[in-house]
Each structure stands twice: as C-alpha cells, then as structure tokens.
Amino acid sequence: MSDAVTLTLRTTVARRLEAESITPDALATLDADAIARLPLWDGPQPVPLGDVFHVRGGMSSRVRVAGDLAMIDAIGAGMTTGELHVEGPVGRYVGTRMGGGELHVIGDAAYGAGLEMTGGLLDIAGNAGDRLGAGRLAAARGMSGGEIIVRGNAGAEIGATMRRGTVVVAGNAGPRAGTGMIAGNVIVFGSAGEDPGRFNKRGTIVVYGSVSVSPTYRYDCTYRPPHIAVTLVHLTSRRNLSVDGDVPAARFRRYSGDMAELGRGEILARSDER
Amino acid sequence: MKIRGVAIEDTFAEAFGMRAARVIITARDPRWATEAAREMTGFATSVIACKVEAGIERELSPAETPDGRPGVSVLLFTMDSDSLAKRLIERIGQTVLTCVTTACFDGLPNAPDRMAVGRSLRVFGDGFQSSKVIGGTRYWRIPVMEGEFLVQESFGRVNGVGGGNFLILAESDAAALGAAEAAVTAMRGMPGVVLPFPGGIVRSGSKVGGTRYVKMIATTNDAFAPTVRAVTTSSLPNGVNAALEIVLDGVDVPSIAAAMRTGIDAACHPGVHTISAGNYGGKLGPHHFHLRQIMDGSTAA
C-alpha cells in the first residue's frame, strides 16, 4: 500500500487510447505490477498500461496521472470513489459515467467530460470541450447527479439533456447550453452562446454575462433568487471558486421556458437594473 | 459554598430529555432575521401549554450562514419526535415564510434523524414550487409575492435537554430582578442553549400537579412564593422576599452546565441571599445539575 498511485506518461501518444481502467476504484486493489498489466484499448486491441505509463505505487485510492494525455480518452470513467488528479490536458470522456469521488483535471478536457455522470465532483482547471455533462448523442438523459466545475471556458451543448446535478463554468459557454435539459443547473459566469435552454423542461440556466434568450421563453420578473446566494456560498467556500465582488448582489431577469416544452424551466440572466 | 457572599445551596436542577432542532433564519439584514426569529419563538415558553419551548440562540454573521446573509439561530424543543416536526412546520410556515426577505435553513446538518419540513411546506407553492440540490442538500423554492422563499427540505432532530434551571432568592424584588437580568445578559449567545421564558426569566415557577386542583398539570411553586410563606411549607430562607427562576433548554448537558455556571456567577449580586434550583427529588428527570459541582468545575461544562 502506498500514499498514492502515480502514472506518468512514458512518451507522446500518437493514437487514441481508451483508459477506462484508470480509476481509483480499480487501482486501489492492485499493486504496481498488476496495474501495469491493466489494459488500455487501441480500438479493439489491448495495450498494457505499463507500456504507456510508468507506474509508481499501488493499492491506493489516490491516483495521479501526469503527462500530455490529450490522446487518452475515458480516464476516470465510471469511478465511484477516491481521488483522481490528472495533470495535463486530457482527451475525451474524462469522468464519463462517474458516480462518486473527486476527479481534478489540471489542464483542458476535450469532448464529453462528465458525460452521463451520476455523482461526485469533476473539477477542470482549464477549458472543457463540447457536451460537457451532457448525454451521448440521442441518449434520453445526460448527467443525472454530481457537480462539474470548469474554471475556464466550455464548448457547445453543455448540460444537454441533463436530469440532475450542476455544471458550473467560470468563463464562457458555447452555443446551445442546456439543450433538452430535464432538470438540474447550468451556471455560466461568463457569457452563453446562442440559443441556450432549447427544449428545456425544468432545468435552471444562470448566466452572469451576455445571453440571448429564445422567444420561446417568457419574462417573469427581475429579482434576487435566494438559491443563487446559497450556490455562491457553496462554490466559493467549498469549491474555492473566486467570483467578482459584485456577483453576490446581482439581480436576475427570470424567464420561464421553454414554452415549447413544459415551460417549467428557467433562464436567469443577470440584470444591470438596481 | 458562597460566591461573593451569596450562598450556593447544596441542591440540583432536575432536567428532562427533549427532542431538539436548530433553525437558521437569514434575511437581507439582521433586523428582519430577528423579526422572524422573535415571531417563531413567541408563545413558546413551556410545553405544558405552548406545545414547544423555543428561544433565540444567537445572531449569526454572514460568514456563518448558508446564503452569506445575516442570520439568527433558533432552538426549539418538544417532548416527542412527532410534535417537533409539526411545530417546525407550523412555526416556519407562519412566521418565517411570511416574513419579508427571509430564508430558512437547518442548523443541525449532521443529525441523521431528519424531519421533512421544507418538503411539507413546499405545497404552499401550489405546484409552482421547485427544488434545487446545492452541495448535496435539497432546498425548496416557494414562489411568494415578494419573489421566492427558500427553505431546506429536511431539518435535523437530536436529543436535547429541557428544564435546566436555577433560582435566585433575594432580599427584594429589585435585587432579584437585577441579578436575573445580569445572569441572562451573561448567558445570552452561549452556544447550544436558550432561555425560553420572557426575557429569559420566570417569576411563576411551578410544581408538578396541584394540591387543591388535582387535575392541574402544574401549579404555583408555593415553596418559593414569599406571600404564602406563613401558610405553606416554605423553602425560602429568612430575609428572602422575592425569588426568580432562570430556565434553560439545551442541545446537550455540557451546554446547559456551562450556561448555568456563567449565569449563576453573574447572578451573585449584592442583595441576593441564595442560589437554589428546582427539582422533583430526582425521580422524574434523568439529568441532574448539582449547583456546587457546576460552580466548582467538578461537573462537565
């Protein structure tokens, strides 16, 4: 048993590899030799993990993965416990279907981070790609629990078809945030791209920067939603997210929608009105 | 034992197990949080007739509350679990939901025993309510004319202690009141304890049942009532012309013991003859707060 398992990339990876085996759940029960024998997948071909990573330590639910991992997909997929720290840019589907534990990415994450996540914390220090916290294309539902924090910007269709949970983007979000949301929260501290909340049933989309609200939403009022204050305390105190000083006092224009759906969702767009 | 010339009687306060909840009320400013807290703790002196005992525990700074606004912490006590949930639903529904700018949160988040308070209150929203899970905790957003009332879905319930007390026996009513006020001032804001009676002071200490009116649950504590000293079995020493009681409810024994120590010490004023305590011979309540042990520090506090 060691304090942590450390996987350090041996060399640049030229072909996409799937690394669903890299989870604290799996590594917590294995020594370094057994970890090195775990399979990564190059398409249908297994590749021993030890051929790609230098392995140090074993039998620990604290895992550190370091290197340029942009070609390595699905790290932390399905993890349910422990801590996974990814140091470097990471490929697609990081933390997909994760149900618990904490996954910290010290870098950018590509397409589908936190896809269909059900619990735990996915914290991305850099930028995130498209369909963050969403579902697979054509899937009935996306993220259904847990929390995703992106400290940079995020791509298109974040939180698409999400059912529960919270996606927070400190920067800007791409187009169609919260498309097909069933419920849950998407919070964007920057600006949101075009057409957010299309086909939103009960979800909440909060935007502090600029946002263009679809005509299928109807304006309710301008107010201070009390749950936003609780959310800010949570994000600043427990997630160490820094916000501008005027953020806590912000008022929001509330729009109910999407009227093409149930109309029970909302877009809360920060107001300049005092 | 004497403290600054005041005798500490060799007796004990007898207290009971109760069920306790802590409610945190926040608002735009301390004034409105306090308004709601005062309403919530009104008519909540004794379970005998009020069904609940409650008081303001302390004011909370914005850094101590779940929504970063000024707040007030309230403790409520009942004799059984079911009635605690009912009282919270009634009192939050009538005194916090109705009060401008407020939100309402559980102050015992680690208590495993939960009461579905916000979950019950949500139906005031008549189907327009919605919930949010923030940091693993569910809150209900109930639309109101001002905007929204936010209330936590569940509140914690713990075993508390009710009926901690001490009696201030003084040479005059003015001396008794001055000492009692000093005790209350010293105890205000101490964690885990509330003083549910008006101003924290009781003048109508009671005994269990009645001698003449046998169906009464409680009647006047004639042993400490100076005007009937000559016609009853009095416990008042010579020279005592007024007695006042301080009653404390708390979330645990050490909180009450600590507050009693602080309060008794503050009550040892000129004009006070003796500090005593109310008990039933140790037959009714499992918690015994021996005054001398509390004051010499030999009991947990």
Side-chain angles (χ1 to χ4, degrees), chain B residues 29-166:
Chain B
D29 52 49
R31 176 204 164 179
W32 286 110
T34 303
E35 289 280 0
R38 283 186 181 145
E39 291 292 333
M40 178 184 250
T41 57
F43 189 59
T45 53
S46 169
V47 289
I48 292 173
C50 308
K51 301 180 183 176
V52 64
E53 297 178 9
I56 292 175
E57 184 183 22
R58 66 188 184 96
E59 292 188 1
L60 302 172
S61 71
E64 297 176 287
T65 64
D67 63 0
R69 302 191 299 168
V72 172
S73 151
V74 170
L75 295 177
L76 299 100
F77 298 83
T78 62
M79 296 305 290
D80 64 88
S81 295
D82 288 347
S83 67
L84 186 60
K86 288 175 186 169
R87 302 292 89 80
L88 256 66
I89 292 164
E90 289 169 355
R91 285 179 181 253
I92 294 173
Q94 295 303 310
T95 66
V96 189
L97 165 65
T98 56
C99 182
V100 294
T101 80
T102 60
C104 196
F105 305 97
D106 171 38
L108 297 170
N110 298 321
D113 184 14
R114 312 295 300 173
M115 298 174 284
V117 174
R119 185 171 179 78
S120 298
L121 290 168
R122 81 190 196 285
V123 296
F124 181 74
D126 196 23
F128 295 100
Q129 75 277 8
S130 62
S131 73
K132 283 291 155 213
V133 176
I134 304 167
T137 300
R138 184 175 295 280
Y139 303 88
W140 285 96
R141 300 165 60 191
I142 300 173
V144 291
M145 295 191 295
E146 178 200 41
E148 283 178 347
F149 172 60
L150 189 74
V151 58
Q152 197 162 329
E153 166 152 284
S154 72
F155 283 65
R157 179 168 46 197
V158 296
N159 289 326
V161 179
N165 69 81
F166 60 92

Side-chain angles (χ1 to χ4, degrees), chain B residues 165-187:
Chain B
N165 69 81
F166 60 92
L167 294 160
I168 300 165
L169 314 184
E171 295 165 2
S172 67
D173 54 351
L177 181 57
E181 287 175 339
V184 169
T185 300
M187 288 188 286

Side-chain angles (χ1 to χ4, degrees), chain A residues 25 28 31 41 53 71 83-84 110 133 136 188 197 199:
Chain A
D25 307 60
D31 62 19
W41 295 92
F53 290 98
M71 295 295 282
E83 287 180 36
L84 177 51
R136 286 163 296 162
V188 180
F199 307 124

Side-chain angles (χ1 to χ4, degrees), chain A residues 23-25 76 78-82 97-101:
Chain A
T23 66
D25 307 60
M79 66 180 277
T80 64
T81 187
R97 302 189 317 280
M98 72 179 282

Side-chain angles (χ1 to χ4, degrees), chain A residues 147 164 166 183-185 202-204 223 225-231 233-234 238 254 264 266 268, chain B residues 65-69 103 105 127-130 132-136 138-139 141 146-150:
Chain A
E147 207 172 308
R164 287 192 193 92
T166 300
N185 309 291
R202 291 190 179 84
T204 294
Y223 79 130
H227 73 281
I228 298 287
V230 179
T231 302
V233 169
H234 169 72
R238 292 176 60 183
R254 183 181 196 270
R264 304 204 54 183
E266 63 185 343
L268 296 167
Chain B
T65 64
D67 63 0
R69 302 191 299 168
F105 305 97
F128 295 100
Q129 75 277 8
S130 62
K132 283 291 155 213
V133 176
I134 304 167
R138 184 175 295 280
Y139 303 88
R141 300 165 60 191
E146 178 200 41
E148 283 178 347
F149 172 60
L150 189 74

